[in-house]
Amino acid sequence: MSEKFQTLPLVFEAPRGRGKPPRHLADLDEAGRKDLLTEMGLPGFRAKQLSTHYFGRLVHDPAEMTDLPAGQRAGLVKALLPDLMTPIKQQTADRGTTVKTLWKLFDGSLVESVLMRYRDRATICISSQAGCGMACPFCATGQGGLQRNMSTAEIVHQVVVGARAMASGDVAGGPGRLSNVVFMGMGEPLANYKSTVAAVRRLTDPAPAGLGLSARHVTVSTVGLVPRIKQLADEGIPVTLALSLHAPDDELRNELVPINTRFSVEETVAAAYEYFEKTGRRVSIEYAMMRDINDQAWRADLLAEVLSANDRGTGWVHINPIPLNDIPGSQFTRSREEDMDEFVRRLNASGISTTLRDTRGSDIDAACGQLAASE
């Protein structure tokens, strides 16, 4: 690692010795919820009613669960709907259509989620870890280190609360429906693989087993944990894979995305292509545009060559160049407009579909790479 981009060490395993969050119905499948209630001496069939309230009606207040016997209500809610996380601060931008929530978890860990309403959809960007161990030097989250993995239910709850906010009209624009989920908040989702995949299943299972979202409207982002990308391809869940590449050559990517010292650009791209082949889902390539670091025109040409090498062609992938969002005190700055325009032009000219990403919420530190979860 050069002096220029000095960063933290990679961390794959969350620190040991931390307590576990309370068990929640979103941690369990339908059978598991029923079994838990039965073990506690409560009627197993009530699990479906609780699931209907949580996932179907988006209700969390026990007082609204009037179909549950008053004498059993408190015990049922304590068993399957314990409080997981507390919202301690909300900030809005883009005339109220972007809402960033700072959450405090049961052990004091802090995470953030961002709800973004567009004309034709509403997307929530969620966290999968408190902090991140991938140590990318241009990312505020990566420079904060890894505190712990989030549980399945903690991941899911961010989405349920976002869906509730949309349904109740708490987001500018009136009542609506949450349609998209992106695992692009704090953390490396595939480093918390078990909880991430379980969360995706809860989000896509039909209500009342889950939230009933389309798997095609769920995006899982990764910096390139190659074995996990291959494992995800075999899960049978057609989510979109987003690969945070940020450089087309090993020399630079080793500096910007330290996981590249374990898995080269070619290994990573090959795994992403394998994901496309197995799932039929076009892969997104995320590429943060950094002034005079990775935004040269020749790197756009090299990126096109790398992605289309080995007879892969160009139709399997879509590139999202992202104007780098400023982080106070960072040595990395956003690319010039003319350099970004040329970068996009060259990629499109090569036959690869490329769209410059719209950045939302940068004025409240809610955009890509800015989440640092500070009070």
Side-chain angles (χ1 to χ4, degrees):
M1 189 67 61
S2 72
E3 290 291 327
K4 185 177 181 182
F5 301 144
Q6 198 67 39
T7 189
L8 299 171
L10 280 167
V11 178
F12 293 94
E13 298 291 335
R16 296 183 179 275
R18 301 184 73 107
K20 292 185 177 181
R23 184 169 43 189
H24 187 280
L25 69 81
D27 289 311
L28 306 168
D29 60 16
E30 284 186 292
R33 298 167 202 170
K34 183 177 179 179
D35 290 344
L36 177 61
L37 289 185
T38 301
E39 290 169 12
M40 298 179 69
L42 294 165
F45 70 89
R46 298 291 185 195
K48 186 172 183 180
Q49 290 176 294
L50 287 164
S51 299
T52 298
H53 285 301
Y54 184 72
F55 284 121
R57 297 182 57 214
L58 304 173
V59 166
H60 190 62
D61 183 356
E64 297 182 49
M65 303 177 188
T66 54
D67 59 338
L68 299 177
Q72 295 179 355
R73 196 176 301 163
L76 289 166
V77 169
K78 183 179 180 180
L80 282 180
L81 290 175
D83 288 332
L84 289 174
M85 45 211 294
T86 305
I88 59 174
K89 183 168 67 175
Q90 278 197 337
Q91 295 172 275
T92 61
D94 305 310
R95 298 181 179 180
T97 59
T98 298
V99 183
K100 182 175 80 166
T101 302
L102 176 66
W103 300 93
K104 179 170 284 187
L105 306 183
F106 83 102
D107 59 352
S109 298
L110 300 175
V111 298
E112 290 178 319
S113 60
V114 184
L115 178 58
M116 298 161 284
R117 185 174 195 156
Y118 300 88
R119 181 183 58 81
D120 58 343
R121 68 191 186 283
T123 298
I124 189 163
C125 175
I126 60 172
S127 296
S128 56
Q129 295 179 309
C132 183
M134 296 297 101
C136 300
F138 58 90
C139 175
T141 312
Q143 288 305 290
L146 176 64
Q147 284 78 60
R148 72 168 172 90
N149 287 328
M150 295 176 69
S151 70
T152 297
E154 288 173 329
I155 296 170
V156 170
H157 193 65
Q158 298 168 80
V159 183
V160 171
V161 172
R164 186 184 305 153
M166 284 295 300
S168 61
D170 293 341
V171 182
R177 179 178 175 272
L178 182 71
S179 55
N180 295 63
V181 177
V182 294
F183 284 72
M184 294 182 178
M186 300 178 69
E188 162 56 51
L190 298 190
N192 186 16
Y193 187 85
K194 185 177 179 180
S195 293
T196 291
V197 170
V200 170
R201 294 192 187 280
R202 294 298 103 77
L203 297 177
T204 57
D205 283 344
L211 203 53
L213 296 174
S214 167
R216 295 176 179 273
H217 291 168
V218 176
T219 298
V220 176
S221 177
T222 180
V223 293
L225 276 66
V226 168
R228 295 304 195 189
I229 292 173
K230 294 181 177 182
Q231 189 175 354
L232 185 64
D234 292 327
E235 291 285 353
I237 316 172
V239 298
T240 297
L241 178 71
L243 173 60
S244 296
L245 198 61
H246 305 311
D249 51 303
D250 286 324
E251 182 179 6
L252 179 59
R253 194 167 192 264
N254 285 346
E255 303 281 352
L256 296 179
V257 189
I259 192 67
N260 201 75
T261 59
R262 306 288 184 92
F263 308 108
S264 69
V265 168
E266 174 52 34
E267 288 177 281
T268 306
V269 170
Y273 182 70
E274 182 179 320
Y275 185 88
F276 162 76
E277 285 191 306
K278 287 187 175 181
T279 65
R281 299 291 293 147
R282 188 168 66 163
V283 174
S284 291
I285 300 294
E286 310 296 305
Y287 196 102
M289 300 294 294
M290 307 174 211
R291 179 179 296 191
D292 299 328
I293 292 175
N294 69 345
D295 61 355
Q296 301 89 345
W298 67 265
R299 277 204 163 92
D301 296 337
L302 179 58
L303 178 59
E305 291 174 17
V306 167
L307 295 176
S308 60
N310 300 319
D311 297 321
R312 285 189 285 255
T314 58
W316 69 280
V317 70
H318 178 88
I319 303 176
N320 285 317
I322 308 166
L324 186 73
N325 296 299
D326 292 336
I327 301 169
S330 174
Q331 61 191 303
F332 299 92
T333 56
R334 172 182 174 140
S335 296
R336 305 171 190 86
E337 295 294 331
E338 59 269 26
D339 291 337
M340 289 190 285
D341 289 345
E342 178 63 11
F343 202 89
V344 171
R345 187 194 70 77
R346 287 187 177 235
L347 288 168
N348 279 321
S350 73
I352 299 181
S353 175
T354 304
T355 307
L356 190 67
R357 172 84 69 83
D358 173 36
T359 56
R360 294 280 295 264
S362 58
D363 52 333
I364 56 171
D365 293 335
C368 290
Q370 291 185 314
L371 299 186
S374 58
E375 293 188 66

